[in-house]
Amino acid sequence: MIRVLSPGLLTTVQDLGRPGFQRFGVSVGGALDAVALQLGNILVGNPPEAAGLEVTLQGPVLEAETDLLIAITGADLGARLAGKPVPLWKSLWWRKGEQLTVRGKPFGARAYLSVAGGVDVPSLLGSRSTYLTAGMGGWRGRPLRRGDRLPIGSSRGQVATEGRLLPPSCRPVYRQGAPIRVILGPHQDAFTTEALEAFFNTPYTVTPQMNRMGVKLDGVPLTHVKGADILSGAVTCGSIQVPADGQPILLLAERQTTGGYAQIATVSTVDLPQIAQALPGDRLRFQAVTLDEAQRCLRRQRQFLRLLRVHVGL
């Protein structure tokens, strides 16, 4: 068990989500920075789909009720174990009775705590992820609260190794100002030429209006040819909708399943971690790529994760 002494701003149980139910109005959900979570699972010897904790900005204070092998990945939120700084991207033992605090100045928005055996909450529709909007999944369908005790699964038979370190060359690089690759459309014809030029040639600022559903951006208003509204259609993680005020809304993992605003572009899956780690005030620049280019990048990323698992003996 892990005991929650203080829950932090928003700490939830997440895995890779529950695909296959959007036609019933159930969002895929899952970790916003899925790559960071998968890397943490590799470090502690878990399968890719094992659940961990997603910590947003101001983290929790937790106590181990037994010895646990853990790794922290994603943003540097100033984690300390028994009062000492915790290195990111490295497996280490969290001993019984020690307190883990995540309370430093954030460099990025979200960190992930992976534990050998995974966070063993009940699976719902094939996933342990917390779906906050619907109040389902995860730990009782909600963020963690003081006094919660989270069960940890068995790690018997897993390759649990202390000191397994992910070298810097293999870690994600969260860089403010790096171009965000997008695939134009599906409704690019709904926007004026001036809007398309502004979207690709001027930066857009991340506003404080952000959560697991999406991020509101602020910049040059994007003008529509005939108006913002369309017949409601499917949206996906990374869809960029533009309502009547012309300010883009970038949808994330816990988005709704359909939307009624024109979508100017869709973020390439490989760049979604950059969005997940963006803070209010960060500036985003968008770069157009083809569908083939986006798919090649995603295949390379998935191949890297597979080879890394093989390299460490998983």
Side-chain angles (χ1 to χ4, degrees):
M1 291 280 187
I2 294 176
R3 183 185 297 274
V4 180
L5 304 181
S6 176
L9 179 65
L10 179 67
T11 305
T12 58
V13 177
Q14 299 295 342
D15 58 18
L16 299 182
R18 48 179 62 85
F21 299 96
Q22 292 186 89
R23 66 187 182 278
F24 304 117
V26 178
S27 179
V28 175
L32 294 190
D33 187 346
V35 173
L37 178 62
Q38 290 179 80
L39 289 171
N41 278 329
I42 289 173
L43 290 171
V44 298
N46 285 340
E49 67 277 8
L53 295 183
E54 180 178 88
V55 178
T56 304
L57 295 176
Q58 183 73 29
V61 179
L62 308 171
E63 182 177 288
E65 295 189 357
T66 188
D67 291 352
L68 299 169
L69 186 73
I70 65 169
I72 298 178
T73 56
D76 186 355
L77 302 185
R80 301 180 74 88
L81 182 59
K84 299 179 181 179
V86 177
L88 270 65
W89 312 105
K90 183 179 181 180
S91 62
L92 66 152
W93 283 107
W94 180 9
R95 299 299 182 184
K96 179 180 179 179
E98 291 182 336
Q99 290 186 9
L100 176 67
T101 62
V102 188
R103 290 293 178 90
K105 181 179 178 180
F107 292 90
R110 294 172 176 90
Y112 293 84
L113 172 63
S114 298
V115 185
V119 179
D120 194 22
V121 297
S123 178
L124 179 65
L125 299 179
S127 170
R128 292 179 168 84
S129 280
T130 311
Y131 185 5
L132 293 173
T133 309
M136 58 185 270
W139 180 249
R140 301 179 179 176
R142 59 166 172 78
L144 300 189
R145 296 176 185 168
R146 182 177 180 180
D148 287 342
R149 297 175 68 235
L150 299 178
I152 303 302
S154 172
S155 59
R156 291 177 184 174
Q158 293 182 195
V159 183
T161 304
E162 180 186 17
R164 182 179 285 156
L165 176 67
L166 192 67
S169 60
C170 294
R171 301 173 192 173
V173 179
Y174 306 118
R175 294 180 298 173
Q176 183 182 354
I180 304 298
R181 290 164 286 190
V182 300
I183 303 155
L184 190 61
H187 306 129
Q188 65 268 33
D189 293 340
F191 297 90
T192 64
T193 301
E194 293 77 12
L196 294 172
E197 290 177 353
F199 181 73
F200 287 112
N201 293 307
T202 61
Y204 283 82
T205 302
V206 176
T207 73
Q209 295 175 268
M210 59 186 299
N211 57 22
R212 285 184 44 80
M213 289 186 67
V215 179
K216 179 84 174 192
L217 304 178
D218 180 66
V220 176
L222 301 174
T223 53
H224 302 83
V225 174
K226 293 184 179 180
D229 294 342
I230 60 170
L231 291 175
S232 292
V235 295
T236 189
C237 191
S239 293
I240 302 176
Q241 293 185 312
V242 184
D245 66 1
Q247 300 301 334
I249 301 172
L250 201 163
L251 302 182
L252 297 176
E254 208 167 295
R255 69 206 174 272
Q256 71 277 17
T257 56
T258 63
Y261 296 131
Q263 301 166 43
I264 193 169
T266 305
V267 175
S268 177
T269 302
V270 294
D271 281 347
L272 287 173
Q274 299 287 344
I275 306 300
Q277 299 297 351
L279 294 168
D282 286 354
R283 305 175 83 190
L284 305 180
R285 288 185 175 273
F286 298 105
Q287 174 186 332
V289 296
T290 66
L291 178 60
D292 285 344
E293 289 173 315
Q295 290 175 336
R296 281 198 299 271
C297 291
L298 182 58
R299 284 194 294 267
R300 285 198 296 268
Q301 183 185 80
R302 289 177 173 174
Q303 178 70 0
F304 162 74
L305 291 169
R306 284 194 294 267
L307 291 175
L308 189 60
R309 293 188 64 82
V310 171
H311 178 72
V312 299
L314 299 179

